[in-house]
Amino acid sequence: MFKSASSVERLANRLARLPGIGRKSANRLAFHILKLTKEEAFELADTIREVKDKVGFCTVCNNISETDPCQICTDPKRTKNIICVVEETPDAAAIDKAESFNGMFHILGGKLSPLDGIGPDDLKISELLARIHDGDITEIILATNPNVEGEATALYLSGLLKPLGLKVSRIARGLPVGSDLEYADSATLSRALEGRQEF
Amino acid sequence: MFKSASSVERLANRLARLPGIGRKSANRLAFHILKLTKEEAFELADTIREVKDKVGFCTVCNNISETDPCQICTDPKRTKNIICVVEETPDAAAIDKAESFNGMFHILGGKLSPLDGIGPDDLKISELLARIHDGDITEIILATNPNVEGEATALYLSGLLKPLGLKVSRIARGLPVGSDLEYADSATLSRALEGRQEF
């Protein structure tokens, strides 16, 4: 594409390997980075280096963190005996942002996906069981994604956890707030009806 | 978002400032960069630095380049007396990729846009006139974008260039190859009819 500047071409190739960035977006981004001031571009480059240098994973909950254990695991204001199990860090971040949950998290690092060769041993499930074994956990909220693989993962986990005498719950699936019943898909509508609650 | 790792948060903020990357994409990208191997992430950071260190602008055509004049301006196989005028480097790269044009380019560095305060003096128009004055240029192809501002820029340039006794042309506007007449907008259809050519 940018024959006249092979380093821009290389940057575009590098960016195109990131998820959700197609060839054209990568070219556009590379060109924009070229137009940034030197300070801005170097700041971006340095932040990328910093992220890899500083950030690791919390050995308790598997969340990304610059400290170990992470800020959430060590926060004295959070309830220690409820664990919300999610697939990835951004899921935990989204739940935390909603400010309706003040317990602990556990990040599985993925979801069961036999087609991609991802089985229970590839997720942080034994670590979750160890946390339950060691601590005073009363409830596990399964907050994997509401799609086929997320549901399968939740089902598998509930099978493992229920015999331990814990309260095991699944986040509600239903109509998103602000959405339109007319345009909802049937699967969501079925779930919304099944999960109806009394006033 | 990523309370537990402020450098990831900073990276996401930085990425969100790039065009076409919203808040959510920036979070996703930052998280993905975190998951890259150290080598891959450092390679990305270094390429960003390299781009700003190495790449400048060709003093002849204003294209981005690691050399001055750029590879296109110095290529002996290219026709020197036709200049294709475009708004930005990616436009020239797109035309070059189509392999239907083997002349020179001139990158304006933008388009006339009075609402954004961009007038003729903000574009590389005097440089274009100097090239025409100095060289043996026979044709100028105006390849600014086919939108309101691009058309205005082309119209302005044709007004400047025609009195110089050059052939001044505008790229054709019409139905894109592979498109469907039924779904074409009226402006495009009008242009396609106006620009019809005899068999």
Side-chain angles (χ1 to χ4, degrees):
Chain A
M1 168 88 176
F2 299 109
K3 273 187 201 165
S4 53
S6 60
S7 56
V8 184
E9 183 74 42
R10 268 202 306 286
L11 177 58
N13 289 341
R14 205 64 213 69
L15 291 169
R17 276 187 256 161
L18 295 173
I21 298 202
R23 190 64 235 182
K24 289 201 173 180
S25 307
N27 285 340
R28 205 163 34 80
L29 281 175
F31 184 64
H32 185 81
I33 288 173
L34 183 75
K35 285 196 144 192
L36 292 177
T37 65
K38 208 159 186 164
E39 289 69 40
E40 287 175 317
F42 282 13
E43 194 193 313
L44 176 58
D46 292 342
T47 321
I48 291 172
R49 280 191 159 264
E50 198 187 345
V51 156
K52 286 307 289 183
D53 272 334
K54 277 198 190 166
V55 183
F57 292 90
C58 171
T59 47
V60 178
C61 70
N62 194 35
N63 197 356
I64 57 166
S65 177
E66 292 177 7
T67 57
D68 186 20
C70 73
Q71 282 185 350
I72 290 178
C73 287
T74 51
D75 187 344
K77 280 186 236 140
R78 299 189 78 111
T79 317
K80 304 283 175 201
N81 54 356
I82 303 184
I83 298 180
C84 177
V85 178
V86 295
E87 294 175 17
E88 295 281 7
T89 292
D91 306 331
I95 290 175
D96 203 42
K97 205 178 146 209
E99 295 186 345
S100 303
F101 176 72
N102 196 35
M104 300 285 109
F105 285 104
H106 190 84
I107 284 101
L108 293 172
K111 60 204 163 194
L112 293 180
S113 177
L115 288 176
D116 301 314
I118 299 172
D121 295 340
D122 301 306
L123 306 179
K124 302 281 180 191
I125 294 175
S126 56
E127 286 82 351
L128 176 63
L129 295 174
R131 281 179 83 178
I132 293 167
H133 189 261
D134 296 343
D136 190 23
I137 312 298
T138 54
E139 181 175 358
I140 300 281
I141 301 172
L142 298 172
T144 52
N145 282 319
N147 52 32
V148 176
E149 287 152 335
E151 295 291 357
T153 310
L155 200 66
Y156 174 83
L157 287 175
S158 73
L160 273 184
L161 302 173
K162 277 223 156 175
L164 304 178
L166 293 163
K167 185 174 171 194
V168 180
S169 58
R170 175 87 177 107
I171 47 163
R173 278 109 344 140
L175 291 162
V177 175
S179 68
D180 216 324
L181 220 124
E182 185 182 352
Y183 303 117
D185 61 291
S186 336
T188 301
L189 275 177
S190 304
R191 287 291 192 177
L193 287 167
E194 279 170 33
R196 69 188 179 277
Q197 284 163 330
E198 273 191 65
F199 271 106
Chain B
M1 168 87 175
F2 298 110
K3 274 189 202 164
S4 52
S6 60
S7 57
V8 183
E9 183 74 43
R10 269 203 304 286
L11 177 57
N13 290 340
R14 206 63 216 69
L15 291 169
R17 276 188 258 162
L18 295 172
I21 298 204
R23 190 65 236 180
K24 289 203 172 179
S25 305
N27 285 340
R28 205 163 34 81
L29 281 175
F31 184 64
H32 185 80
I33 288 172
L34 183 76
K35 284 197 143 191
L36 293 176
T37 65
K38 207 158 188 167
E39 289 70 39
E40 286 175 318
F42 282 13
E43 194 192 312
L44 175 58
D46 292 342
T47 320
I48 291 173
R49 281 192 159 261
E50 197 187 344
V51 156
K52 287 307 290 184
D53 272 333
K54 276 197 190 168
V55 183
F57 292 90
C58 172
T59 48
V60 178
C61 70
N62 194 35
N63 197 355
I64 57 166
S65 176
E66 292 178 9
T67 56
D68 186 21
C70 73
Q71 282 186 349
I72 290 177
C73 286
T74 50
D75 187 346
K77 279 187 237 139
R78 299 189 78 111
T79 317
K80 304 283 176 202
N81 53 359
I82 303 183
I83 297 180
C84 177
V85 178
V86 295
E87 293 175 19
E88 295 281 8
T89 291
D91 306 332
I95 289 175
D96 203 43
K97 205 179 146 208
E99 296 187 344
S100 303
F101 176 71
N102 197 36
M104 299 286 109
F105 284 103
H106 190 83
I107 284 100
L108 293 173
K111 60 205 165 192
L112 293 181
S113 177
L115 288 176
D116 301 315
I118 298 172
D121 294 341
D122 301 305
L123 306 178
K124 301 281 179 190
I125 294 176
S126 57
E127 286 82 352
L128 176 63
L129 295 174
R131 280 179 84 178
I132 294 167
H133 189 261
D134 296 343
D136 190 23
I137 311 298
T138 55
E139 180 175 359
I140 300 282
I141 301 171
L142 298 173
T144 50
N145 283 319
N147 51 32
V148 176
E149 288 152 335
E151 294 291 357
T153 311
L155 200 67
Y156 175 83
L157 286 175
S158 74
L160 274 185
L161 301 173
K162 276 220 157 177
L164 304 177
L166 292 164
K167 185 175 169 192
V168 180
S169 59
R170 175 88 176 105
I171 47 163
R173 278 116 332 149
L175 291 161
V177 175
S179 68
D180 217 324
L181 220 124
E182 184 182 352
Y183 302 116
D185 60 292
S186 336
T188 301
L189 274 176
S190 306
R191 286 291 193 176
L193 287 167
E194 279 170 32
R196 68 188 179 277
Q197 285 163 330
E198 273 190 65
F199 270 105

